[in-house]
Amino acid sequence: MVIRRYIKKCKLAYLRIALLAIALSALFMPSLSPVKSVGDNIFTLYINGQVMGTVDDKDTAYDLMNEARRELAKDNEGMLFLEAKTELVGEEILFGQADDKAGVLDNIKNIYSNSVHDTLQHAYTVKIDGYMVNLPSISDVQKLLEASIERYDTQDRFSVLLMADSKRELPVQVPEINKNYEEEKKEELGVTTRDFFDNDGVFGAMDDVIDNIDFEKETDFDDYYYGITEMRFANTVEIVEAILPSKQVSNLNKAIDEVTKDKEKKKIYEVVSGDTLSGIANKTGITVDQLIALNESIENERSIIRIGDELTVTVPKPELSVEREELEYYEGTYEAPIQYVLNDDWYTTTEVTLQDPVSGYHKAVQRTIYLDHDVVNRDIIKEEIIAEAVPKIVEKGTKIPPTYIKPISGGRMTSGFGTRTATIRGMTSYHGAIDWGTPIGTSVVASCGGVVAHAGWMSGYGYCVFINHPDGKQTRYAHLSKTLVTKGQSVSQGQKIALSGNTGVSTGPHLHFEMRINGVMVNPLNYLN
C-alpha cells in the first residue's frame, strides 16, 4: 500500500511538472501558440505540384504570388506568359507556425521563372503584300520604310509618313512617301508654309504664287528639277499594332536586311535543241514579254535563239519594291529610231539595210521610270535638236519561216555532224549529216514541207530522197530501203516519204539525215524543233 501511494504521488508530481512546462512554454515562446478551433488555419501552397511553403491565410498566399509576378515582370520587357497551376490546401492544427514569407516568395519566384512559356510584348506588324515582319516600335517601322527609299534617295528629297487608313474600320496605318523638296520649291518662289496662315491665308498665298507665274513662257532646261521627282511603294503596305511573343519580333537591322536586300541570284537558262521563246517562257514561269525585257539580245518574239545561248529568266527582287521617276539632263549624240520596210514575200529571218544611220546631236530632258533597279519606261519630255539624226532603214520579211522536225521516231544517234574517222572504203572523214541507227523499215517523214527534188538511187547514198524547202534549204534522207514519193511531188511536214534501210555505202541499218543551205552542208540539229 505504501509503495502504491508513493507511485501515485510521483505520477501527480510528474503531471504537475508537465503542466507547468506547458504553461512556461506558452509564456516564453509566443510563436508556438495554441490555435482555437475555427476551421482551416494554415495553408500549404502548391504550384505545378511543388510545395512552395505554408502561410497562415489565403490572402497572404495571393499577395506573395502577386509580388513574385511583379518582380519577375520588372526584370523582363513586355508581358510574360507562364504556365502555373496553383493549389492552396488548408488544414486545422492546434499548434504550429507558418513558413517565413521571404522563403515562400523566393520559392514562388523560382518556379515562375522556370515556368515562363513566352514573353509577350507590344509590337507593330508590317505587312508587305503576303510578307510580314514584326518590329518593337513605331519608330523602327519608320526607319525600316525609310531604309527602303534611302537606297535610291541619296539626296534626302523624300521621307515616309505613316497615316491612318480612313477606309478601314480597324486601326491600320499605311505609309506615304512625302516630297521634302516641295518646301524648297516654295522657298524659291518666295512662299513658305507660314505664308498660308498669315495675311490673307491660303487663298492669298495661292494668289501670290499665281501672280508670279508667266504662263506664256516656255519651260527652259534650267526650270526642271533634276534627279528623283516621284517615289512610291510598289507593294501594298499596312501597319497594325499587335501583342506578340518576343521571339516573333525582329530587331531593326535584321528587318532591314530581310526587306530591302535582294533575295535570290539572277537565274540563267541555257538554250537546248528544240527550244523556242514561248517554250522557254513556259518552262521558267514567265511571259515572253518578260523574257524579252530581261535580255538585250532578244529584240522581239521573232528573234532567233541558238543552242548554247544563255538567257536571263529571273532577276533578284526585294520584299519591298520602290517605283521612282527620275529626270536627267542630257546633251550629246542620239540615234533616230530604226525605220522598217515590211516585205510580205520575205521570211522574218531576212533583213536588208536600205539606208545607214547617221547620229544626230541634241539637248534633252529624259524621264526614266524605275522599279527598283530595272528600267520600266524611258522617254524624252523636252528636246532641242542641234543636228538632225538620219534613221537606219531596214527592209525585213513578215512571213514566219518554216520549221523542221526529226524525220524518224526514236533511233540512236550513231554519228554526229563534223569530222570522224573513216571506217570503210568510200566513206569520207567529214560527216556532213546526222545518222540515227534504226531497224530497216522504220517510217521516214518529211522534216519540213516542200517539193521532192530527187527520189531514187544515187551512188554512195543508196536509195534516197531530196526535198527543196521554201526557205532555200534542202534536206536529204539516205540509205533507204524504199522511197514512197516521186520527183516534183509536193509533200507536207510529217508526211511519210520513205522507209529506212542499209543501202549504198553503209555500215548498218540507219537513216542519214542531211541539211544544206545554198549547197553548203549545215548541222541539222541547229534547226530542228
Side-chain angles (χ1 to χ4, degrees):
M1 293 294 293
V2 174
I3 294 173
R4 289 181 180 176
R5 284 197 295 271
Y6 175 77
I7 293 173
K8 186 175 182 181
K9 288 180 180 179
C10 288
K11 289 182 178 180
L12 290 173
Y14 177 77
L15 181 59
R16 289 170 183 165
I17 292 171
L19 292 174
L20 179 60
I22 294 173
L24 289 174
S25 297
L27 179 64
F28 295 104
M29 299 179 66
S31 58
L32 296 176
S33 57
V35 181
K36 294 181 180 180
S37 178
V38 291
D40 294 343
N41 51 20
I42 195 164
F43 299 87
T44 302
L45 176 62
Y46 296 86
I47 297 180
N48 293 341
Q50 298 185 36
V51 177
M52 299 293 103
T54 57
V55 293
D56 51 13
D57 60 68
K58 293 182 179 180
D59 290 341
T60 300
Y62 297 138
D63 290 342
L64 290 174
M65 287 189 287
N66 289 334
E67 178 64 22
R69 292 191 188 97
R70 282 193 295 270
E71 292 191 21
L72 191 61
K74 182 176 62 177
D75 298 330
N76 294 272
E77 295 183 1
M79 296 185 296
L80 299 178
F81 178 73
L82 53 85
E83 294 180 354
K85 182 180 179 182
T86 302
E87 185 179 8
L88 201 58
V89 178
E91 61 179 318
E92 182 181 6
I93 63 173
L94 296 177
F95 300 98
Q97 65 177 357
D99 291 332
D100 179 62
K101 291 183 180 179
V104 178
L105 179 62
D106 288 340
N107 292 339
I108 297 173
K109 288 166 56 178
N110 183 57
I111 198 165
Y112 276 178
S113 297
N114 296 329
S115 302
V116 172
H117 180 71
D118 212 337
T119 303
L120 300 181
Q121 69 177 82
H122 185 256
Y124 290 85
T125 297
V126 182
K127 184 180 179 184
I128 305 169
D129 293 335
Y131 172 83
M132 289 190 294
V133 62
N134 305 307
L135 291 168
S137 67
I138 196 67
S139 63
D140 280 352
V141 173
Q142 187 92 22
K143 291 174 184 176
L144 171 66
L145 298 174
E146 294 279 1
S148 297
I149 67 173
E150 285 171 0
R151 293 182 295 163
Y152 316 106
D153 181 25
T154 57
Q155 296 178 312
D156 196 27
R157 290 185 172 183
F158 296 84
S159 59
V160 177
L161 297 179
L162 298 180
M163 309 178 67
D165 187 351
S166 58
K167 300 178 182 178
R168 305 289 291 271
E169 294 183 5
L170 297 176
V172 176
Q173 295 186 73
V174 292
E176 182 178 286
I177 298 180
N178 186 52
K179 301 176 184 177
N180 298 334
Y181 70 88
E182 290 289 354
E183 294 298 325
E184 298 175 20
K185 284 183 177 180
K186 293 173 185 176
E187 291 177 6
E188 291 175 6
L189 291 171
V191 179
T192 65
T193 306
R194 185 177 300 173
D195 293 330
F196 286 87
F197 300 97
D198 294 341
N199 302 326
D200 297 330
V202 175
F203 297 105
M206 291 177 62
D207 290 339
D208 291 339
V209 174
I210 294 172
D211 290 340
N212 289 328
I213 297 176
D214 184 357
F215 290 99
E216 296 182 359
K217 180 182 177 182
E218 183 180 355
T219 305
D220 195 11
F221 289 103
D222 294 333
D223 296 331
Y224 287 93
Y225 205 76
Y226 295 105
I228 302 177
T229 56
E230 298 284 346
M231 291 188 84
R232 72 175 188 86
F233 291 121
N235 309 83
T236 299
V237 183
E238 299 175 323
I239 301 102
V240 295
E241 293 186 63
I243 302 296
L244 298 171
S246 296
K247 63 184 179 183
Q248 295 182 15
V249 180
S250 300
N251 64 57
L252 178 60
N253 290 335
K254 181 181 178 182
I256 290 175
D257 185 64
E258 289 180 353
V259 170
T260 64
K261 293 292 181 66
D262 296 330
K263 291 288 182 166
E264 59 184 22
K265 294 180 179 179
K266 181 187 293 187
K267 290 185 180 178
I268 302 297
Y269 178 87
E270 184 174 337
V271 178
V272 298
S273 176
D275 270 339
T276 61
L277 290 180
S278 59
I280 294 172
N282 288 334
K283 284 182 186 179
T284 56
I286 61 176
T287 65
V288 173
D289 289 341
Q290 289 172 327
L291 189 60
I292 294 171
L294 291 172
N295 296 273
E296 294 183 359
S297 61
I298 304 177
E299 184 179 346
N300 53 50
E301 64 276 3
R302 295 187 298 274
S303 295
I304 296 175
I305 54 175
R306 294 176 173 81
I307 296 173
D309 285 352
E310 292 187 346
L311 303 181
T312 300
V313 292
T314 61
V315 293
K317 290 289 184 184
E319 294 291 353
L320 181 55
S321 292
V322 177
E323 187 178 279
R324 67 190 189 280
E325 174 189 284
E326 292 191 22
L327 294 187
E328 178 186 12
Y329 173 78
Y330 173 77
E331 182 175 342
T333 60
Y334 76 99
E335 306 297 328
I338 298 175
Q339 295 181 8
Y340 290 99
V341 176
L342 303 181
N343 189 325
D344 294 337
D345 295 325
W346 293 0
Y347 290 109
T348 55
T349 53
T350 303
E351 291 187 358
V352 175
T353 299
L354 304 179
Q355 176 177 283
D356 291 323
V358 178
S359 298
Y361 194 89
H362 71 162
K363 296 191 295 184
V365 177
Q366 179 175 270
R367 175 174 55 195
T368 306
I369 306 297
Y370 293 91
L371 179 60
D372 296 323
H373 301 291
D374 299 331
V375 175
V376 176
N377 186 49
R378 183 172 280 146
D379 61 350
I380 301 297
I381 61 174
K382 180 177 176 60
E383 183 179 33
E384 182 179 318
I385 303 296
I386 309 299
E388 192 82 31
V390 176
K392 181 180 182 179
I393 300 178
V394 176
E395 184 174 7
K396 63 183 299 184
T398 59
K399 291 171 59 179
I400 303 299
T403 59
Y404 292 82
I405 61 174
K406 185 178 177 181
I408 62 169
S409 296
R412 179 177 62 88
M413 185 183 294
T414 56
S415 184
F417 183 89
T419 304
R420 69 177 177 183
T421 301
T423 56
I424 63 173
R425 188 175 181 180
M427 294 180 64
T428 62
S429 60
Y430 184 83
H431 189 231
I434 296 295
D435 288 349
W436 286 289
T438 189
I440 294 174
T442 299
S443 296
V444 179
V445 302
S447 180
C448 177
V451 177
V452 177
H454 174 82
W457 183 269
M458 182 174 285
S459 177
Y461 280 118
Y463 286 108
C464 58
V465 172
F466 298 172
I467 301 176
N468 291 334
H469 304 287
D471 61 352
K473 295 185 181 71
Q474 183 185 77
T475 52
R476 297 185 176 189
Y477 314 78
H479 308 304
L480 307 171
S481 62
K482 185 177 183 180
T483 61
L484 303 176
V485 291
T486 58
K487 183 178 179 179
Q489 180 179 340
S490 294
V491 295
S492 59
Q493 185 180 62
Q495 181 178 334
K496 189 174 179 180
I497 59 172
L499 301 178
S500 68
N502 189 27
T503 59
V505 181
S506 173
T507 58
H510 73 283
L511 172 68
H512 171 99
F513 178 61
E514 186 178 315
M515 182 179 289
R516 298 191 177 207
I517 299 177
N518 298 323
V520 179
M521 292 181 290
V522 296
N523 190 345
L525 295 181
N526 293 337
Y527 301 92
L528 295 183
N529 288 331

